[in-house]
Amino acid sequence: MIRFLSGLFWTVVVLLILFHLVGGWYFSGVLADDLLDVTVEPVERNLVVTEAGDGTVTLRPLADEVSELTEPGIWGLDWGTGRGRVGEIVATAEDGSVTRSLLEGAGLEVGLTARLDGWVYAGDPQSARELPFTDIEFASPLGTFAGWRLEGDKTTWVVHVHGKGTTREEALRAVEPIARAGYPQLVITYRNDDGFPVDPSRQYQYGLTEWEEVAAAVDMAVVAGADKVVLFGYSTGAAHILSYMYREPAPEIVGLVFDAPNIDIEAAVDEAAGQRTLPVLGLPVPSTLTWVAKQISAWRFDIDWSAWNYIDRAGQLTVRAQVFHGSADRTVPISVSERFAAARPDLVKLRQTAGAGHVRSWNVDQSAYESDLVAFLDQVGG
């Protein structure tokens, strides 16, 4: 019996080791695809309009569940030949259909396929928000990049840095209240954006190289007359900004605004892994397997996880920061912002938005978001 139990024990040990090695190798590849691949995948319309009229629209998923359909707040609605905006949920049905208030939707018809867009607005500041702007170019050590310049009567400028895999359109929600308050703005592109220079590594670097475009945009603002500069980072844009801030930032920088800051990449990986299941088995991915996958990926793809943790270096922060983060964020857990605020309670103020997903605080509570945002700008830039 002892010999049998000993053999069983070592069999289980060997199987566990093989499971973690094979599974770790597999998931390290998945992790690399999710984290590093700069390929921009086309966004598909995954809903169909089943009813429209009387200030509401009913949308049904075409195939799999569409989580955005039941998330709170204001959303953009894109149906290919037009755009609109939807608001609160009015009703739900057993077939997965959801009826929401229709805030804007000229030309929307039954039968059209559509998708929900968390940025709400698309296009440029003029077409989306009726804000005059100028197309600009600026140069970093990697090459030439583009941006939008919005004028204002103040000498404190706001520079917007969008998140990973997104575009300048991500900033279109916030540019309007900032413009209304009189602050000039730059909304920039950076390396690996579609149509612009690609990082020499051909991978996302989470601030390790992207900070050069942030620095170049700040220099441009200062040359254009900025006495003070506030940097506004969305998701991974916050990592690019902190990477710059932990080097030798321009003395004109007086504040930071972060929306769902992705500033501990390992935490985001853990959050994503917790939502995955094992192939074939369908069971949740064990945390031990996630750990092994991260170690293997560090070796396979030359990842330094500590270099992507900007919270551990928060002691180097020298300016105030206003942070917005949704409590229901399943991309970057709100614990990331809580840790950041706890690391520098003297400089970092966190507003938690109940029920909001990733970079969706404005969508869920526009009034509070804009009020806090402008108040912060007035405090640091006035």
Side-chain angles (χ1 to χ4, degrees):
M1 179 61 72
I2 293 175
R3 186 176 301 171
F4 170 78
L5 292 176
S6 176
L8 180 61
F9 170 79
W10 287 110
T11 299
V12 171
V13 168
V14 170
L15 288 175
L16 283 173
I17 292 173
L18 286 174
F19 168 78
H20 282 86
L21 288 177
V22 174
W25 184 272
Y26 169 80
F27 278 110
S28 71
V30 173
L31 186 154
D33 288 342
D34 291 346
L35 275 186
L36 306 177
D37 188 3
V38 300
T39 305
V40 179
E41 298 291 341
V43 180
E44 298 182 354
R45 295 192 290 276
N46 51 8
L47 302 167
V48 62
V49 179
T50 58
E51 293 182 38
D54 297 325
T56 64
V57 59
T58 300
L59 304 162
R60 188 184 72 239
L62 285 171
D64 297 332
E65 178 184 351
V66 179
S67 61
E68 296 90 344
L69 195 52
T70 56
E71 290 186 22
I74 300 172
W75 290 77
L77 184 65
D78 178 5
W79 58 89
T81 57
R83 284 189 61 89
R85 288 181 296 129
V86 300
E88 64 181 6
I89 296 172
V90 176
T92 60
E94 291 184 0
D95 66 353
S97 296
V98 175
T99 302
R100 304 187 73 131
S101 61
L102 184 63
L103 307 177
E104 179 184 4
L108 183 63
E109 298 177 355
V110 171
L112 290 172
T113 56
R115 68 179 181 89
L116 290 172
D117 175 2
W119 303 345
V120 183
Y121 301 98
D124 57 48
Q126 179 65 57
S127 63
R129 308 303 311 266
E130 298 183 352
L131 296 172
F133 76 100
T134 304
D135 284 312
I136 56 97
E137 291 185 342
F138 64 98
S140 83
L142 185 61
T144 301
F145 296 85
W148 297 323
R149 173 173 169 173
L150 292 81
E151 304 296 341
D153 57 14
K154 297 184 177 179
T155 56
T156 297
W157 287 51
V158 178
V159 177
H160 300 261
V161 185
H162 66 77
K164 167 183 171 287
T166 66
T167 73
R168 287 174 284 174
E169 294 174 311
E170 189 168 34
L172 289 173
R173 289 164 295 178
V175 293
E176 196 276 336
I178 296 173
R180 192 177 347 114
Y183 294 95
Q185 302 174 73
L186 293 179
V187 186
I188 69 167
T189 57
Y190 54 83
R191 65 190 63 199
N192 296 325
D193 280 357
D194 191 25
F196 294 97
V198 177
D199 190 86
S201 68
R202 307 196 69 80
Q203 298 176 344
Y204 290 114
Q205 289 295 326
Y206 295 91
L208 299 185
T209 56
E210 295 92 345
W211 70 268
E212 293 182 339
E213 282 77 71
V214 178
V218 171
D219 291 345
M220 182 179 188
V222 172
V223 170
D227 291 334
K228 300 177 181 178
V229 176
V230 174
L231 298 175
F232 195 145
Y234 304 80
S235 189
T236 304
H240 305 342
I241 288 171
L242 284 181
S243 183
Y244 168 61
M245 293 299 297
Y246 294 162
R247 287 175 165 80
E248 296 183 4
E252 288 83 3
I253 297 175
V254 295
L256 311 173
V257 178
F258 292 157
D259 193 331
N262 189 19
I263 54 177
D264 180 358
I265 311 307
E266 210 172 345
V269 168
D270 291 342
E271 179 71 15
Q275 298 168 37
R276 289 187 180 276
T277 57
L278 296 170
V280 182
L281 299 177
L283 299 173
V285 175
S287 59
T288 52
L289 182 56
T290 301
W291 183 87
V292 171
K294 288 187 294 187
Q295 308 317 304
I296 293 176
S297 65
W299 170 71
R300 286 182 70 185
F301 308 110
D302 193 26
I303 293 174
D304 181 354
W305 294 106
S306 63
W308 287 348
N309 185 336
Y310 295 96
I311 300 175
D312 284 351
R313 286 172 278 167
Q316 301 176 44
L317 195 63
T318 58
V319 299
R320 295 172 59 189
Q322 171 66 60
V323 179
F324 300 95
H325 210 134
S327 66
D329 193 333
R330 300 193 69 197
T331 301
V332 178
I334 195 170
S335 59
V336 168
S337 287
E338 291 172 336
R339 288 164 48 216
F340 184 51
R344 291 306 303 268
D346 56 326
L347 294 177
V348 179
K349 179 182 178 182
L350 170 62
R351 169 177 277 278
Q352 299 188 28
T353 306
H358 188 53
V359 199
R360 301 290 181 261
S361 290
W362 181 95
N363 307 57
V364 171
D365 196 342
Q366 178 182 350
S367 177
Y369 188 101
E370 295 184 356
S371 177
D372 280 9
L373 171 58
V374 174
F376 177 77
L377 294 177
D378 290 344
Q379 290 165 8
V380 300

